[in-house]
Amino acid sequence: MFTPVRVRFAPSPTGPIHLGGIRTALYNYLFAKKNGGRFILRMEDTDQKRYIRNAESHILESLKWCGIVPDEGIGFGGPFSPYYQSKRGYIYRFYLNQLLQNGYAYYAFDLDQDLDQKRTDFQKHGIFFSYNYKTRMNFNNSLTMTKKKLAIKLKDQNPYVVRFKMNPGEQLKIHDIIRGNIEMNTNYLDDKILLKSNGTATYHLANTIDDHLMKITHVIRGEEWISSMFFHILLYRSFGWNPPYFAHLPLILKKNGKGKMSKRNYEETIDPIFPIKWMDPNTKKMIPGYRELGYLPESFINMLALLGWNPGGNQEIFSLKELEQSFSLEKIQKSGVLFNMKKMVWFNRRYLNRNKEKVFTFLCKELKKRSIFHRYKKNYLYRVIDLTIDRIHFIHEIWDHSFYFFIDPYYYDQQYLLYNHEKYQYFLHQLEKLHNLLFSVTPFTLDNLKIVFQDKVDKNMWKIYMKLMRLSLVGVFKGVDIMIILEMIGKKQSMNRIKKLINEINTKTI
RNA sequence: GGCUCAUUCGUCUAUUGGUUAGGACGUCAGGUUUUCAUCCUGGAAAGAGGGGUUCGAUUCCCCUAUGAGCUACCA
């Protein structure tokens, strides 16, 4: 029978979401879309101690910014609510009792200090301590006490945890969609805690039960979960459930390639790791995200999609729709990856060209800020954007590269003026000539300007004229073609700016 | 320490038994732009090492090395 694909992204609200989390969410989302399935968002908030207040909204807002929209779950409803694990305690207790009754789990009353003592004792002998089939009979648990004593302990409300009773000696062979078969002997697995002494389920228990109850068909998550996969499989088996398919993604490594990227790394690197801004609750410091730094969500997603996955060809630019069509788990890479910041910038530049409206909106804001918005027509603004968009990498850079279409230079290349101060008289003379020359151009069109300069300006004077004009119009030696600037800002403005530079030079007494 | 996973240019990757090992970012060199950016052309740059299997291995197997993950009453 055909079972519809159901995948989930299940973050834990213990901090801000970073690149890696977004990529995991993205791959889940793409897989669901590709297969006509559903993408579920579940909050794995079983650890109340590590709960961080604004983490959940950071995750939700980040996903929203990226355009990764769940079909079901937090904020989207669905038949399997609640989608917060903190609200599903009664469910976990119910299933845990099954495990207890069937002998797959047991109560353990060991105190923290006893366990710590054991750990250090073992370490002294050079052995790593593990609560497992070898050691469990030396501890204070329901396997080592009479039923009567257990009943008394429970009745007296002694704090306890529930542990999974791991059966040794079995060679497990699990298929991972990305990695193929992975083997593990249960001898190496320990008696993991299922229920903490505060009465809440651990991740392992909650995750397994929820994935089953929510009919998750494919578990797509980071490589750090490979080790736990075997334990999870055994849990499914103990419940008598069929496990889902597994796909473990390669990790996104820190910039130096040493260790996986973590939400705690943001202070070690100037490169952003969060999609949107995050305020450190301790230092109250605001860490900007890709959104704040001027990256477009489309380029961010495109970059992330290709970080560990590639459909096989040479195409690099993919819209979300295209990604949805071509995504497949089999094409995911096995080894850890590094995030290439320069390529991210390149992607952003490519996407700017496809999002001129956003640049337009930003430019309008800049003009309104200066109360000069009303002076310009939409066509003019789009012309400016067309002329300058290739020069910018981020939306907010547009003003620095286009201000001279709107306002006089507020700064002149001082270096150039100082360096040539002995030529001031000469400059002034030429600027006057330029001023007159522009005055003679009627009408002030691009064609006419070109003709006038060609006819009336001596070839070997071009260079100095262009320099002086650029200095007058832009203030510095950058920007689009001088003739185009002249035409765009018009005769009056152009001549004014030349006068302004003349004044500037005149006031410089050297 | 134990277990598990990984290993193609600096980075992301294609090719997966027979290729001059391809592309992209970056980098370098030229050209266009009488500025700057863009753009164009070109170059340098890789199969971790060692054994097998095979007529032939980057591709399959083994070992070694290196890296990573896990080894919590974190997820």
Side-chain angles (χ1 to χ4, degrees), chain A residues 97-347:
Chain A
N97 280 336
Q98 279 188 15
L99 253 29
L100 250 6
Q101 274 161 23
N102 296 328
Y104 290 116
Y106 62 91
Y107 297 94
F109 298 92
D110 313 284
L111 272 11
D112 272 351
Q113 58 256 46
D114 294 342
L115 257 25
D116 287 344
Q117 184 61 46
K118 250 328 186 243
R119 238 180 284 274
T120 48
D121 285 354
F122 269 60
Q123 231 148 36
K124 270 181 206 157
H125 295 89
I127 309 166
F128 262 72
F129 172 74
S130 174
Y131 203 119
N132 61 12
Y133 74 102
K134 283 183 194 160
T135 58
R136 64 168 78 110
M137 296 314 278
N138 302 329
F139 288 108
N140 190 14
N141 57 47
S142 57
L143 303 171
T144 59
M145 65 181 69
T146 61
K147 277 191 179 167
K148 206 171 160 188
K149 195 178 168 195
L150 174 65
I152 293 168
K153 279 236 177 213
L154 290 174
K155 199 176 159 227
D156 288 351
Q157 310 230 325
N158 278 294
Y160 65 87
V161 299
V162 175
R163 285 181 182 272
F164 185 74
K165 192 178 166 196
M166 182 65 65
N167 273 113
E170 189 187 347
Q171 187 70 12
L172 258 23
K173 190 169 160 186
I174 316 290
H175 183 78
D176 181 282
I177 296 171
I178 296 169
R179 288 148 206 281
N181 289 330
I182 307 176
E183 294 194 48
M184 172 75 89
N185 196 292
T186 58
N187 283 346
Y188 300 117
L189 268 22
D190 63 350
D191 290 1
K192 279 257 178 305
I193 289 176
L194 300 170
L195 190 79
K196 302 180 223 176
S197 60
N198 66 5
T200 61
T202 58
Y203 163 82
H204 302 288
L205 211 223
N207 173 270
T208 304
I209 293 173
D210 285 347
D211 281 350
H212 173 74
L213 260 27
M214 294 180 183
K215 301 188 188 304
I216 300 302
T217 55
H218 300 255
V219 169
I220 306 165
R221 60 187 1 168
E223 188 186 325
E224 72 263 37
W225 295 105
I226 290 182
S227 310
S228 325
M229 171 173 66
F230 300 94
F231 169 47
H232 295 167
I233 290 278
L234 259 16
L235 264 179
Y236 282 104
R237 201 162 77 185
S238 304
F239 283 122
W241 299 336
N242 286 327
Y245 295 105
F246 289 96
H248 287 96
L249 271 24
L251 262 18
I252 299 179
L253 273 10
K254 285 196 251 185
K255 208 180 170 188
N256 55 9
K258 302 237 179 272
K260 67 169 171 173
M261 184 179 277
S262 140
K263 53 198 163 206
R264 277 156 254 122
N265 299 142
Y266 60 77
E267 283 178 333
E268 299 165 20
T269 163
I270 48 164
D271 292 344
I273 61 171
F274 301 138
I276 66 172
K277 67 177 188 241
W278 168 253
M279 194 185 75
D280 188 309
N282 297 319
T283 62
K284 303 288 175 204
K285 207 173 127 189
M286 187 66 82
I287 296 103
Y290 282 85
R291 183 180 67 184
E292 288 72 27
L293 294 169
Y295 292 87
L296 296 168
E298 297 88 342
S299 64
F300 182 60
I301 284 303
N302 197 153
M303 175 73 192
L304 245 27
L306 259 28
L307 206 61
W309 171 82
N310 185 294
N314 283 338
Q315 188 180 345
E316 300 249 36
I317 303 292
F318 291 91
S319 68
L320 194 57
K321 280 277 168 289
E322 288 175 304
L323 290 171
E324 289 171 18
Q325 281 158 18
S326 45
F327 188 75
S328 75
L329 293 174
E330 288 76 13
K331 289 276 188 182
I332 292 176
Q333 217 68 23
K334 293 188 187 79
S335 52
V337 293
L338 261 36
F339 189 84
N340 186 339
M341 210 52 219
K342 295 226 168 115
K343 188 145 189 178
M344 178 70 255
V345 173
W346 176 80
F347 268 117

Side-chain angles (χ1 to χ4, degrees), chain A residues 39-132:
Chain A
F39 172 64
I40 292 117
L41 178 63
R42 185 174 72 214
M43 209 46 76
E44 309 229 321
D45 52 350
T46 51
D47 188 357
Q48 297 302 315
K49 273 185 293 199
R50 289 207 304 154
Y51 182 82
I52 289 181
R53 206 171 159 57
N54 294 323
E56 183 184 322
S57 59
H58 186 263
I59 295 166
L60 263 32
E61 207 185 323
S62 293
L63 290 174
K64 196 176 164 193
W65 181 68
C66 292
I68 302 171
V69 186
D71 299 299
E72 190 180 315
I74 311 279
F76 294 86
F80 300 103
S81 63
Y83 290 90
Y84 288 93
Q85 290 188 330
S86 57
K87 293 180 183 161
R88 300 171 64 80
Y90 65 98
I91 300 171
Y92 308 139
R93 288 304 282 256
F94 173 80
Y95 286 100
L96 184 68
N97 280 336
Q98 279 188 15
L99 253 29
L100 250 6
Q101 274 161 23
N102 296 328
Y104 290 116
Y106 62 91
Y107 297 94
F109 298 92
D110 313 284
L111 272 11
D112 272 351
Q113 58 256 46
D114 294 342
L115 257 25
D116 287 344
Q117 184 61 46
K118 250 328 186 243
R119 238 180 284 274
T120 48
D121 285 354
F122 269 60
Q123 231 148 36
K124 270 181 206 157
H125 295 89
I127 309 166
F128 262 72
F129 172 74
S130 174
Y131 203 119
N132 61 12

Side-chain angles (χ1 to χ4, degrees), chain A residues 296-299 348-361 382 385 389 395:
Chain A
L296 296 168
E298 297 88 342
S299 64
N348 208 56
R349 211 169 59 67
R350 295 291 303 265
Y351 273 90
L352 242 27
N353 275 293
R354 299 173 157 216
N355 285 276
K356 285 184 184 159
E357 342 54 75
K358 287 188 181 170
V359 182
F360 175 77
T361 308
Y382 267 102
I385 289 169
I389 198 156
I395 291 178

